[in-house]
Amino acid sequence: MALGTAIDQGEAPDYYFQKFPEDNPVLGFFTWRWVLTLGFDHMFSSPIFLGMLALLATSLMACTYTTQIPLVKVARRWNFLHSAEAIRKQEFSESLPKASVRDLGVVLMGAGYEVFLKGPSLYAFKGLAGRFAPIGVHLAMLLIMVGGTLSATGSFRGSVTVPQGLNFVMGDVLSPSGFLSTPTKAFDTEVHVNRFYMDYYDSGEVLQFHTDLSLFDLNGKEVMRKTISVNDPLRFDGITIYQTDWSFSALQIRKDDEGPFNLAMAPLKLNGDKKLFGTFLPVGDSDSPNVKGISMLARDLQSIVLYDKEGKFAGVRRPNSNLPIDIDGTRIVIEDAIGSSGLDLKTDPGVPIVYAGFGALMLTTCISYLSHTQIWALQDGTTVVIGGKTNRAKLEFPDEMNQLLDRVPELVESSLSKQSDAISG
Amino acid sequence: MIFSTLEHILTHISFSVVSIVITIHLITLLVDEIVGLSDSSEKGMIATFFCITGLLVTRWIYLGHFPLSDLYESLIFLSWSFSIIHIVPYFKKHKNHLSALTAPSAIFTQGFATSGLLTEMHQSEILVPALQSQWLMMHVSMMVLGYAALLCGSLLSVALLVITFRQDIRILCKNNHFLNKSFSFDEIQYMNKGNNVLQNTSFLSVRNYYRAQFIQQLDHWSYRVISLGFLFLTIGILSGAVWANEAWGSYWNWDPKETWAFITWTIFAIYLHTRTNKNLQVANSAIVASMGFLIIWICYFGVNLLGIGLHSYGSFTFSSNL
């Protein structure tokens, strides 16, 4: 997995030819042949990795079966200890002279233990869930892996950038991910991008982008309409549409009162997440090789920066202002900035299973934090011998036990003999 | 403006209080215990806790969103978690071994956050669209709390290893000078006072008894803190996955940060499993936890330095105002 971070994933083979060349291998032997044959370029779906995941799954199942389940059987048995020796061998042991095992039982019940009394001996436990929970953890992990496998083999995924005003059919965009993927009726739905718009902070940064979508079925009837934004997807019949990206489709301008013309905006490469789009309006003879014109750049849909024939800055205009700008004798009015919405579509049958697995994992991990405490006691004449053990909170256990034992009443002489007769008789 | 000055004041107060607490600790360790100040470290950390809480609340009100959107804020949150971990045992009336760990950790993170290295980040950042979600609160806060607890636990294990193996090394190079190791149960770092003490077997065994008990306590505390941290980490990772599914359509993308969080989770799961086996219990599990310390830092910091992937808004560049 760590290699998957160190080696860039998913690039074209050429990238690896350059990074790990044969004539100058990294670490002396690591050439691109290693990377591609072992599948390091798609580490997380490579055979090695999938094999290791399968190994993890089998070891989880084996561990649960061989170790955990017998533990449950042992824990559930109310195993009474019948000899004072065995009790004294426990991690924590005490003897209470002049006490009755029944009083101890009452005190323990008050403290939340389940108490079982058989003649002179007592067995109490608390927090049995803490024993079961690790099994739950393993089962939850298996559930997640099953769900994940289902996702990997049975889902559909697709990405599309749709300019405002256009539409597409879901089935055209979604592509299957594995052999269990089967399309449903919902795939024939047509998605129409009614409007794409963005909100901005006062400082000019992008706050949020929204798309107003309408879904039409085969008969042309609108079945759903929703405005989606990032973190707020549209769900329809098992298919989910996410707002993930945006782009600039075209700039609508009027030139010298002619038009409107739609100039397509092209994305210009920049570092990081910042976007920049540009377009070009040729002035003069558009077929000559050194054609000059007016360039327009935009970072978002808010404002357009214009440059003249020589590349000098000419001005900034907002699309809704309709203010004209004169550049080299040409009058330009920017009418509208048409954006396109970047949408991701997905249908994934494994998600409910995986979510169930997640919930189970969280719950069982919480529960496995509980200590499972067991206490044995034996009435030995007038003395009660107590022993106990716990699996988690080991340091606090003696203090806790001592506090409980302090609450057991000390018996006075006359009732003592009656008690011991009653119990051992 | 008033908020940013308030923020400034609170940052500096918390930093100074923690440094005072550490100074008192060092004086106790090196020179002599000043009885009147024995409770001061607790009070000092509580004061720090309130300062940092105030800082976070101020930032929350000022920015309008939960203060956990970039590296600076997450570092403040981390030092806040350390101060919480410090004072929780105090309220449960347990002997506090963690104080020597959490206080320096808090000061280091706080110091790094406020230092000149991250001046760009001090300015309140606006929330990119992907972060505008309720999940932000749960996922990131759980992750940072988990990191804090796991860091404490793994540092305890490192301390355990140091104490265990230091003794062995000393026995190996036998001298007639035996260094007197004195323990006060509030300090994990022990001092060689350099006295020559004649070797006395019974004395040695008494010392060994205290050592063994101390190691056991360290082991136990390390186990408890790491279990708690593991729980938080699990919830954090899973809530992150659910959030990713809501925002981007897929709950696991093998993003570097996700992958390394998973590696961290696995290492600590291995730690918890080594403890079930009686033979491996103390020393080996401590070794695993110490590896976990490194891995957490890679996951938290190292991946951000790479600057790629879905978590890239956590990345930063070092710009110094030196």
Side-chain angles (χ1 to χ4, degrees), chain A residues 1-2 5 8 44 49 53 56 91 138 141 144 147-148 151 157 201 203 205-209 230-233 235 242-244 273 344 346 348 350-351 354-355 357-359 361-362 365-366 369 371 391-396, chain B residues 94 126-133 135 138 216-217 220-221 223-225 227-228 230-231 234-235 238-239 241-251 253-254 256 259-260 262-263 265-266 273 278 281 303 306 308 312-313:
Chain A
M1 276 198 279
T5 319
D8 292 307
F44 300 108
F49 190 67
L53 280 180
L56 177 64
E91 278 171 11
H138 292 173
M141 287 179 66
I144 294 177
S151 290
R157 237 159 256 265
Y201 285 103
S203 58
E205 313 270 347
V206 175
L207 166 58
Q208 185 61 274
F209 27 104
V230 183
N231 276 319
D232 184 16
R235 283 177 225 275
Y242 300 87
Q243 173 85 67
T244 50
D273 290 329
D344 268 16
K346 196 195 74 154
D348 193 344
V351 166
V354 172
Y355 275 15
F358 281 170
L361 188 61
M362 279 198 254
T365 315
C366 276
Y369 201 56
S371 321
N391 65 347
R392 294 255 189 267
K394 292 214 164 109
L395 265 198
E396 293 99 5
Chain B
H94 289 306
I126 26 186
L127 222 46
V128 298
L131 290 182
Q132 289 168 19
S133 164
W135 286 106
M138 165 118 143
Q216 202 203 26
Q217 286 201 324
H220 178 252
W221 274 104
Y223 177 58
R224 293 290 275 180
V225 174
S227 312
L228 193 65
F230 187 71
L231 180 65
T234 311
I235 298 183
L238 295 181
S239 54
V242 174
W243 185 14
N245 199 30
E246 296 301 305
W248 297 311
S250 116
Y251 45 81
N253 291 314
W254 295 113
T259 311
W260 278 94
F262 187 58
I263 295 179
W265 190 83
T266 310
H273 279 85
K278 293 282 185 235
Q281 255 204 6
V303 173
L306 277 184
I308 53 173
S312 58
Y313 34 75

Side-chain angles (χ1 to χ4, degrees), chain B residues 101-281:
Chain B
L101 275 183
T102 49
S105 313
I107 199 181
F108 280 135
T109 42
Q110 188 82 348
F112 181 61
T114 54
S115 74
L117 290 174
L118 290 180
T119 36
E120 289 178 354
M121 314 283 289
H122 284 198
Q123 305 312 316
S124 33
E125 300 271 327
I126 26 186
L127 222 46
V128 298
L131 290 182
Q132 289 168 19
S133 164
Q134 298 301 329
W135 286 106
L136 172 69
M137 290 200 254
M138 165 118 143
H139 166 60
V140 188
S141 49
M142 280 287 133
M143 289 302 279
V144 177
L145 276 171
Y147 286 154
L150 290 174
L151 283 171
C152 279
S154 43
L155 280 177
L156 282 171
S157 294
V158 171
L160 193 154
L161 283 177
V162 166
I163 296 184
T164 316
F165 290 117
R166 200 87 184 240
Q167 172 71 353
D168 295 346
I169 293 173
R170 233 159 266 287
I171 286 184
L172 282 174
C173 38
K174 254 186 194 174
N175 266 332
N176 277 332
H177 307 292
F178 275 88
L179 296 163
N180 184 6
K181 299 183 187 122
S182 71
F183 301 107
S184 78
F185 273 100
D186 284 342
E187 304 300 332
I188 292 180
Q189 306 131 340
Y190 56 90
M191 271 299 291
N192 307 325
K193 288 226 170 110
N195 294 335
N196 299 345
V197 176
L198 284 170
Q199 184 190 4
N200 183 336
T201 343
S202 60
F203 183 70
L204 201 59
S205 59
V206 164
R207 221 167 60 210
N208 276 345
Y209 169 72
Y210 277 126
R211 248 183 93 254
Q213 208 184 42
F214 193 58
I215 288 182
Q216 202 203 26
Q217 286 201 324
L218 273 183
D219 183 50
H220 178 252
W221 274 104
S222 167
Y223 177 58
R224 293 290 275 180
V225 174
I226 288 186
S227 312
L228 193 65
F230 187 71
L231 180 65
F232 286 144
L233 190 69
T234 311
I235 298 183
I237 293 181
L238 295 181
S239 54
V242 174
W243 185 14
N245 199 30
E246 296 301 305
W248 297 311
S250 116
Y251 45 81
W252 196 262
N253 291 314
W254 295 113
D255 186 50
K257 189 102 179 187
E258 288 175 0
T259 311
W260 278 94
F262 187 58
I263 295 179
T264 313
W265 190 83
T266 310
I267 272 269
F268 284 105
I270 293 177
Y271 171 80
L272 291 173
H273 279 85
T274 53
R275 292 189 66 89
T276 61
N277 186 340
K278 293 282 185 235
N279 293 338
L280 298 179
Q281 255 204 6

